[in-house]
């Protein structure tokens, strides 16, 4: 049996590579993929002990699998959480959390600026089971103070938001929630634990769509919930055990390997996005640039306190509205016209006609989604080539 020792003092870059892999008797250096649905026992006595919980260990891969555990232990270490539960998608992570931790009649307060499908989950499905949902604009401090009361069970936010990269002060919101006996859940998809650690800032639970930066190459769908043993380790895993929105071991292997390069990638995404944001700011066709790394971001002071970098998402508005936006998108030759993000490949999206296309013009105006808005998820290509590709359409739009 080969034993390598884990160390509490490890830096994130080391945790992401070394945590969680305990070689089998074969001494394999790479993380193995356990493609098995169930696990065997040495005796009837051991089987009984495993099922009763008297002895820890694997039973059935709906709720534990050694490959999935490598990913879970690595992500828990990076987020600074007691434990992590991997799920079949980011949406399954949000669903599992609220199904496990809420009952009919509970009130939750949610930021309006969350991922579109997350809004549908709350409005169409969780509401059907009696969850009471209040919506607040992410940057509206007075709104949060008015909405959160002693009736509130959970507060849910994404920061920075999609696509306008607005942020909320996590420490302030956690304190406000806790004062009313509520908990704070943060979807940390955009920053990842490399750029932002919500638990250290006071949040109770972190949600991930592993599909995005944790994978980093757009290969698989997955999600995760990170938090304390009682609520995540027992309650959320208990929901997974019973209801089954679990991560497949092959996907867990992809995400575990993805984490090994996460720190390097997030630094590169940030550097490339900063270069693109600077280029866009100087271009005459561009009216406004939204990027958390800019000194004139409306919440630059909060960002400086809680983020270790701007990340890879840059949005910008064109003077020429939708015509100019489509001209820029159609003028590119390399960038991928798709709504996905967190990939090595840069993607370009027109939110008003795609991700936010089902909103009415009035709702879009309220959400700040201008017809001339473009969202970029900056990838790992050489930033000079990304800029060259954007310039093709932008020069036309500036006409
Ligand atoms: C993509 C995304 C989700 C949903 O994740 P899936 O893995 O696609 O189910 C949730 N939150 C945010 C912020 C996302 O970008």
């Amino acid at each position: 049996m080969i034993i390598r020792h884990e160390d509490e003092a490890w830096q994130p870059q080391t945790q992401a590579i070394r945590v969680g892999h305990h070689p089998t008797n074969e001494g394999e250096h790479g993380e193995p993929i356990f493609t098995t649905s169930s696990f065997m026992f040495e005796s009837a006595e051991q089987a009984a002990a495993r099922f009763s919980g008297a002895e820890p260990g694997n039973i059935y891969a709906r709720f534990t699998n050694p490959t999935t555990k490598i990913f879970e232990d690595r992500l828990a270490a990076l987020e600074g959480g007691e434990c992590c539960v991997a799920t079949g998608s980011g949406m399954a992570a949000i669903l599992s959390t609220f199904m496990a931790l809420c009952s009919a009649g509970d009130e939750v307060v949610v930021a309006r600026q969350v991922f579109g499908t997350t809004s549908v989950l709350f409005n169409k499905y969780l509401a059907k089971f009696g969850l009471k949902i209040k919506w607040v604009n992410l940057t509206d401090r007075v709104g949060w103070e008015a909405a959160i009361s002693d009736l509130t069970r959970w507060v849910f936010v994404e920061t920075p938001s999609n696509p306008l990269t607005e942020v909320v002060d996590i420490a302030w919101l956690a304190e406000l929630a806790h004062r009313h006996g509520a908990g704070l859940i943060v979807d940390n998809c955009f920053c990842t634990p490399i750029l932002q650690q919500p638990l250290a800032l006071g949040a109770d639970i972190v949600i991930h769509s592993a599909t995005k930066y944790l994978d980093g190459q757009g290969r698989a769908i997955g999600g995760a919930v990170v938090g304390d043993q009682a609520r995540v380790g027992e309650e959320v895993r208990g929901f997974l055990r019973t209801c089954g929105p679990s991560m497949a071991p092959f996907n867990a292997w992809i995400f575990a390997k993805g984490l090994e390069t996460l720190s390097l990638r997030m630094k590169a995404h940030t550097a490339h996005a900063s270069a693109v944001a600077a280029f866009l700011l100087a271009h005459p066709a561009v009216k406004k640039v939204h990027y958390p790394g800019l000194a004139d971001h409306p919440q630059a002071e909060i960002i400086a306190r809680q983020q270790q970098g701007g990340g890879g998402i840059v949005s910008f508005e064109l003077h020429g509205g939708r015509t100019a936006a489509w001209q820029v998108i159609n003028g590119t030759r390399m960038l991928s016209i798709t709504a996905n993000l967190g990939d090595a490949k840069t993607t370009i999206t027109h939110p008003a006609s795609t991700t936010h296309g089902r909103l009415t013009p009035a709702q879009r105006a309220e959400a700040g989604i201008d017809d001339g808005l473009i969202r970029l998820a900056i990838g790992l290509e050489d930033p000079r080539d990304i800029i060259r590709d954007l310039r093709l359409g932008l020069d036309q739009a500036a006409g």
Side-chain angles (χ1 to χ4, degrees):
M1 188 88 158
I2 294 165
I3 297 175
R4 302 279 78 205
H5 297 279
E6 295 185 3
D7 194 321
E8 298 264 306
W10 277 347
Q11 298 297 318
Q13 171 72 23
T14 310
Q15 291 175 327
I17 293 171
R18 289 290 180 176
V19 166
H21 178 34
H22 310 289
T24 70
N25 286 335
E26 302 296 336
E28 76 284 352
H29 191 208
E31 294 76 357
I33 307 177
F34 284 85
T35 50
T36 180
S37 49
S38 69
F39 298 86
M40 294 196 293
F41 311 108
E42 283 166 7
S43 62
E45 286 80 2
Q46 190 184 43
R50 287 274 175 92
F51 272 82
S52 74
E55 179 187 303
N58 296 302
I59 300 175
Y60 193 61
R62 193 191 313 115
F63 42 104
T64 65
N65 175 285
T67 308
T68 311
K69 190 167 189 306
I70 297 172
F71 166 66
E72 291 173 335
D73 288 351
R74 270 181 200 172
L75 186 57
L78 287 170
E79 287 287 4
E82 280 175 18
C83 60
C84 168
V85 174
T87 56
S89 68
M91 292 318 302
I94 303 172
L95 173 72
S96 302
T97 302
F98 283 90
M99 290 300 280
L101 301 179
C102 287
S103 308
D106 281 352
E107 183 185 283
V108 298
V109 185
V110 184
R112 270 204 188 86
Q113 293 76 9
V114 291
F115 185 64
T117 311
T118 304
S119 316
V120 178
L121 172 65
F122 281 112
N123 277 335
K124 184 164 179 195
Y125 295 102
L126 291 170
K128 192 160 77 167
F129 294 97
L131 213 61
K132 297 202 181 85
I133 297 127
K134 282 186 178 171
W135 298 92
V136 176
N137 283 330
L138 187 66
T139 59
D140 181 3
R141 275 183 173 245
V142 176
W144 286 113
E145 277 163 356
I148 296 171
S149 72
D150 291 352
L151 298 173
T152 308
R153 266 310 285 288
W154 292 101
V155 176
F156 183 92
V157 297
E158 263 166 47
T159 177
S161 69
N162 181 16
L164 296 178
T165 72
E166 293 173 307
V167 302
V168 69
D169 186 334
I170 294 174
W172 172 81
L173 192 58
E175 198 277 321
L176 176 63
H178 293 159
R179 210 187 313 142
H180 290 284
L184 175 64
I185 303 177
V186 177
D187 182 331
N188 201 26
C189 174
F190 273 32
C191 276
T192 83
I194 301 303
L195 301 183
Q196 174 172 279
Q197 292 180 301
L199 299 178
L201 295 165
D204 300 270
I205 291 176
V206 164
I207 298 279
H208 274 285
S209 167
T211 316
K212 313 293 169 48
Y213 290 105
L214 304 191
D215 173 352
Q217 295 181 57
R219 296 166 292 190
I221 301 278
V225 185
V226 188
D228 61 277
Q229 182 57 31
R231 291 179 293 193
V232 176
E234 300 295 328
E235 296 299 328
V236 176
R237 192 173 300 283
F239 179 81
L240 209 82
R241 177 173 186 158
T242 305
C243 303
S246 321
M247 179 179 281
F250 182 74
N251 290 356
W253 179 82
I254 289 177
F255 299 130
K257 299 306 281 180
L259 288 181
E260 293 184 359
T261 55
L262 183 65
S263 163
L264 295 171
R265 287 187 287 108
M266 292 313 292
K267 284 172 194 140
H269 283 296
T270 298
H272 297 187
S274 302
V276 172
F279 158 73
L280 291 169
L281 271 178
H283 198 283
V286 176
K287 188 163 75 179
K288 193 165 184 194
V289 180
H290 304 269
Y291 182 60
L294 295 175
D296 68 345
H297 188 289
Q299 293 132 330
E301 178 264 328
I302 299 172
I303 291 165
R305 252 189 293 127
Q306 73 184 18
Q307 287 185 221
Q308 287 85 53
I313 308 294
V314 180
S315 294
F316 62 102
E317 285 160 37
L318 293 151
H319 289 294
R322 176 190 175 124
T323 309
W326 283 24
Q327 208 166 20
V328 170
I329 293 170
N330 289 333
T332 60
R333 293 154 65 95
M334 174 182 82
L335 305 192
S336 311
I337 306 172
T338 172
N340 195 29
L341 63 98
D343 199 300
K345 299 183 172 85
T346 299
T347 68
I348 186 164
T349 316
H350 182 240
S353 60
T354 59
T355 52
H356 295 68
R358 284 169 296 177
L359 302 184
T360 64
Q363 286 171 325
R364 269 202 296 280
E366 202 205 349
I369 309 296
D370 190 89
D371 275 351
L373 184 76
I374 288 179
R375 191 200 71 189
L376 298 167
I378 301 299
L380 302 178
E381 305 97 335
D382 190 306
R384 288 168 296 191
D385 292 324
I386 301 170
I387 288 169
R388 203 151 54 92
D389 210 44
L390 282 168
R391 195 193 296 278
L392 294 170
L394 276 167
D395 287 351
Q396 273 180 33

